[in-house]
Amino acid sequence: MSLYWRIFLLNAGVIAIAVALLLGPVTVSTPVRFGEAIVLLAGLAAMLVVNAVLLRVGLAPLARLNRAMATADLLKPGTRPAVTGDGEIAALTRSFNAMLDRLEAERATSSGRVLTALEAERKRIAQELHDEVGQTLTAVLLQIKHAADRAPEPVRSDLRQAQETTRASLDEIRRIARRLRPGVLEELGLHSALRSLAAEFTTARLGVTAHITPGLPHLEPAAELVLYRVAQEGLTNAARHSGATRVEVHLRPVPGGGTGLLVHDDGQGLGDAPEGAGIQGMRERALLIGAELLVGPGPHGGTEVRLEIHDTDIPGATP
């Protein structure tokens, strides 16, 4: 039954009952007596209450669909409003769910293309930093050393200082290139890459430890790259924004089969801050391989980033 006829019949039923009462035991005289006015007002109030209740029940699926539309988030897939009945609202709910399915599939495809282009651009920039800027700074470093060895003492100390500054810049260029292109991931695998990442973020103010459970199932290259990038972003957020002193990175199996990544810090937590581009980027990567990502407060404070891959057979996605 359509929504129009449902509302019409509900109202018609209420009016028919009122007319039947007036034609039956209820009578109205002219002028209206006080007792009859009380009966009429009570009947009107009862009609309005019954009509309001029936309309609320009849329009409840539409209100649920409206809430689902207002809270729909393509980066948090899987939530669908329940389809009840066979009327117009049920058809509208099914159409909305089908639209969400199409949008999520298109979002995953477009995100895959964007992330593929992003990784290719990162690789190109890292290669240029290593081959062009790195070699240029190396040549400058050798020239400064050669000049310092031949310069008189007053100038030699300045050249030595310039030499140390150039060496520090060269190390920073190499560090940036490693972050842009995780060569250790391609050459030594995910376990070594996570340990190297933990060592890279360890400083005098921040201690990072990596705990990797042996015997984990094999992962596709796309899944390994997603795990690495999520761990990298989690460590970056902890180092820059959380004020943490300790961060733990866990790579371990999850119940039901699969692999899970946990990045936990002892910082100040997220609070009421909205999700930034970093967390949204993690969600897009997780969506690309069908993984589940949770970002929130830890059980003992701080922030936790959880990524769980329940199906290790990732279909040819390249993040």
Side-chain angles (χ1 to χ4, degrees):
M1 185 180 298
S2 67
L3 182 62
Y4 167 79
W5 283 108
R6 187 179 305 174
I7 294 175
F8 174 78
L9 291 178
L10 288 176
N11 288 310
V14 173
I15 295 174
I17 293 174
V19 172
L21 290 175
L22 289 175
L23 295 177
V26 179
T27 59
V28 180
S29 60
T30 305
V32 180
R33 297 175 184 176
F34 179 76
E36 294 174 345
I38 295 296
V39 172
L40 289 176
L41 292 176
L44 177 62
M47 289 173 55
L48 293 176
V49 170
V50 171
N51 193 39
V53 171
L54 293 177
L55 287 177
R56 174 61 61 90
V57 173
L59 297 178
L62 192 60
R64 289 196 298 268
L65 180 60
N66 183 54
R67 289 193 298 269
M69 290 179 175
T71 58
D73 188 353
L74 296 181
L75 292 180
K76 299 176 183 178
T79 303
R80 298 288 186 272
V83 180
T84 57
D86 298 320
E88 290 178 336
I89 298 180
L92 181 62
T93 304
R94 284 191 289 268
S95 300
F96 176 70
N97 291 341
M99 181 190 69
L100 282 183
D101 293 337
R102 292 194 303 271
L103 289 177
E104 288 178 359
E106 292 173 1
R107 178 64 180 267
T109 301
S110 61
S111 296
R113 293 171 181 167
V114 171
L115 293 176
T116 299
L118 178 62
E119 289 295 333
E121 186 67 11
R122 284 183 171 185
K123 184 176 181 180
R124 184 188 65 81
I125 294 175
Q127 193 70 30
E128 290 185 359
L129 286 175
H130 182 272
D131 294 343
E132 302 294 335
V133 182
Q135 291 182 4
T136 300
L137 287 179
T138 301
V140 171
L141 190 63
L142 294 176
Q143 292 175 358
I144 293 176
K145 182 179 182 302
H146 179 74
D149 293 338
R150 297 173 175 271
E153 186 57 35
V155 182
R156 183 177 303 174
S157 60
D158 294 337
L159 290 176
R160 296 296 184 192
Q161 184 64 35
Q163 185 180 0
E164 293 302 319
T165 302
T166 305
R167 183 178 287 110
S169 300
L170 181 60
D171 293 339
E172 181 67 15
I173 289 295
R174 289 172 177 171
R175 183 185 65 82
I176 294 175
R178 286 195 303 269
R179 288 193 178 184
L180 288 174
R181 181 190 179 190
V184 64
L185 178 63
E186 300 175 358
E187 298 170 2
L188 301 179
L190 180 61
H191 298 184
S192 298
L194 290 179
R195 292 191 179 96
S196 175
L197 196 62
E200 181 179 346
F201 277 90
T202 298
T203 61
R205 296 181 297 175
L206 181 65
V208 183
T209 55
H211 307 275
I212 299 176
T213 302
L216 291 173
H218 172 72
L219 292 172
E220 297 293 326
E224 288 190 347
L225 185 56
V226 168
L227 286 168
Y228 179 86
R229 289 301 188 194
V230 169
Q232 186 181 47
E233 185 62 34
L235 289 174
T236 301
N237 291 338
R240 291 181 179 178
H241 309 299
S242 70
T245 59
R246 294 292 304 171
V247 183
E248 292 186 356
V249 180
H250 295 266
L251 188 67
R252 57 194 181 186
V254 296
T259 304
L261 173 73
L262 171 65
V263 181
H264 174 255
D265 64 62
D266 61 352
Q268 60 189 1
L270 295 174
D272 297 330
E275 292 187 355
I279 296 180
Q280 292 181 357
M282 288 191 289
R283 293 195 184 281
E284 289 182 350
R285 291 182 182 277
L287 181 63
L288 182 63
I289 62 172
E292 181 181 358
L293 178 72
L294 298 175
V295 181
H300 304 291
T303 304
E304 278 191 355
V305 177
R306 291 178 178 269
L307 179 69
E308 295 184 353
I309 303 175
H310 296 284
D311 184 8
T312 56
D313 187 13
I314 307 301
T318 305

